Amino acid sequence: MASLYTKTKLYIEDNSKTWDDTKVSLQNDGSGDYIKTWTYSFDKPNDSKIAEYETAGNTAETNAGIDATRRSQYGSWESQMEMIYKDQKNGTSTFKDHCDKVRSDNPKG
């Protein structure tokens, strides 16, 4: 189940805005998360509107996890630059092959 933060963020982006901590805050008083404050110029989403973002929210959260895994497997920018340099010097495709493997090992849905 996607978090309220993710679903609210997607709703805000669908209204051509970005998350702004001065305009929205979430809270949990022990019985679940809710939108505590809302000062955007467009309507605060109700529960049914937030529920419409469940699938997109799940996808966004899954892809964020995949992105984090990919970043760790790509290696440091220094090692990537070294691969690119050696590929240019030797006419090889080590860097491209490495990136293709990371992507195929961690596909996005």
Side-chain angles (χ1 to χ4, degrees):
M1 181 171 173
S3 69
L4 178 61
Y5 170 82
T6 300
K7 294 183 280 190
T8 303
K9 182 176 182 290
L10 291 171
Y11 173 76
I12 291 167
E13 290 169 354
D14 277 353
N15 283 276
S16 301
K17 300 292 181 186
T18 57
W19 185 277
D20 182 341
D21 288 334
T22 67
K23 294 184 178 184
V24 61
S25 67
L26 306 181
Q27 188 162 326
N28 185 327
D29 295 328
S31 58
D33 294 337
Y34 65 93
I35 299 172
K36 180 180 179 185
T37 60
W38 184 270
T39 60
Y40 283 98
S41 60
F42 51 95
D43 291 338
K44 173 182 168 182
N46 58 28
D47 290 343
S48 64
K49 179 54 84 174
I50 288 293
E52 292 175 16
Y53 288 87
E54 185 66 34
T55 300
N58 287 334
T59 300
E61 289 177 357
T62 298
N63 285 344
I66 292 167
D67 287 342
T69 301
R70 284 181 176 184
R71 278 191 301 275
S72 70
Q73 291 181 0
Y74 284 135
S76 69
W77 67 268
E78 293 95 344
S79 67
Q80 292 179 45
M81 293 302 294
E82 184 69 17
M83 279 189 269
I84 292 168
Y85 170 76
K86 287 180 180 178
D87 283 347
Q88 291 292 316
K89 184 176 177 184
N90 302 323
T92 57
S93 61
T94 306
F95 179 69
K96 179 192 167 301
D97 298 342
H98 173 69
C99 291
D100 288 346
K101 179 166 178 16
V102 168
R103 286 185 185 103
S104 68
D105 288 350
N106 303 283
K108 290 188 177 182

